[in-house]
Amino acid sequence: MAAATHDDIDILAKAKRALSADYTPSEDEEYMSEKQLNYFRVLLLEWKKSIVAASENTLQSLQDGPIREPDLNDRASSETDWGIELRTRDRQRKLISKIDAAMRRIDQGEYGWCEVTGDPIGLNRLTARPIATMTVEAQQAHERREKISRDD
């Protein structure tokens, strides 16, 4: 599983704060009920909206003009910062496609169910990582297989 960056976590936290405070999915309800699906749908949409807004800010900053640092060290530092910013935005672009895939799974009635085992992914995992497609156990097994194939 790819590690979530600090920026991604902040954006997800911002999306969670934008949700209505009067409802949080509970283990006491039917798993993936309409209410739960709607909660995750809104969460995913808010998360995507936050990512797009952050990328628009980056784009605006890029359009404001080139780096004009007279000192070579300052220029190198600024270029490094921009490189990091652009890599972050590229990761977030990929994250948007995962959010879109999660939205499709909601529409198809597959959201919240492990794509490997068919078991419930669990509310705690989905709340922490709304784009999850596997249970923790299935994800760990997948990562072990991936590591073994890389080591060969």
Side-chain angles (χ1 to χ4, degrees):
M1 175 174 74
T5 66
H6 182 67
D7 200 27
D8 293 342
I9 293 168
D10 287 345
I11 291 174
L12 178 57
K14 181 180 175 184
K16 286 178 182 176
R17 285 191 302 270
L19 292 175
S20 173
D22 61 340
Y23 176 74
T24 303
S26 166
E27 299 287 339
D28 298 334
E29 319 173 71
E30 177 188 348
Y31 186 70
M32 288 299 113
S33 64
E34 272 306 307
K35 206 169 187 180
Q36 288 180 356
L37 288 172
N38 191 50
Y39 172 86
F40 287 110
R41 180 181 289 112
V42 171
L43 176 60
L44 289 162
L45 288 171
E46 287 294 328
W47 194 12
K48 183 177 177 178
K49 190 169 34 171
S50 297
I51 292 169
V52 170
S55 66
E56 287 171 354
N57 290 339
T58 299
L59 183 59
Q60 184 59 45
S61 296
L62 283 172
Q63 291 172 342
D64 287 344
I67 299 169
R68 295 185 186 158
E69 302 287 349
D71 182 66
L72 289 178
N73 289 329
D74 290 342
R75 182 177 296 172
S77 179
S78 293
E79 288 175 359
T80 299
D81 290 346
W82 273 113
I84 292 169
E85 182 74 16
L86 291 172
R87 280 193 302 278
T88 298
R89 297 301 162 233
D90 187 51
R91 275 194 308 273
Q92 289 177 341
R93 178 187 54 81
K94 293 173 186 172
L95 184 57
I96 286 175
S97 70
K98 291 180 180 183
I99 291 171
D100 290 340
M103 295 295 291
R104 280 191 300 276
R105 286 194 307 278
I106 288 174
D107 293 340
Q108 296 167 352
E110 299 170 0
Y111 185 79
W113 302 95
C114 181
E115 64 184 16
V116 175
T117 64
D119 293 336
I121 293 173
L123 293 176
N124 290 337
R125 177 158 168 76
L126 289 172
T127 300
R129 187 83 174 150
I131 58 172
T133 60
M134 293 183 248
T135 60
V136 172
E137 296 79 13
Q139 183 70 43
Q140 289 171 338
H142 172 74
E143 289 172 2
R144 279 193 300 274
R145 284 190 303 277
E146 206 172 60
K147 183 181 182 320
I148 289 170
S149 66
R150 270 196 319 256
D151 291 346
D152 289 343

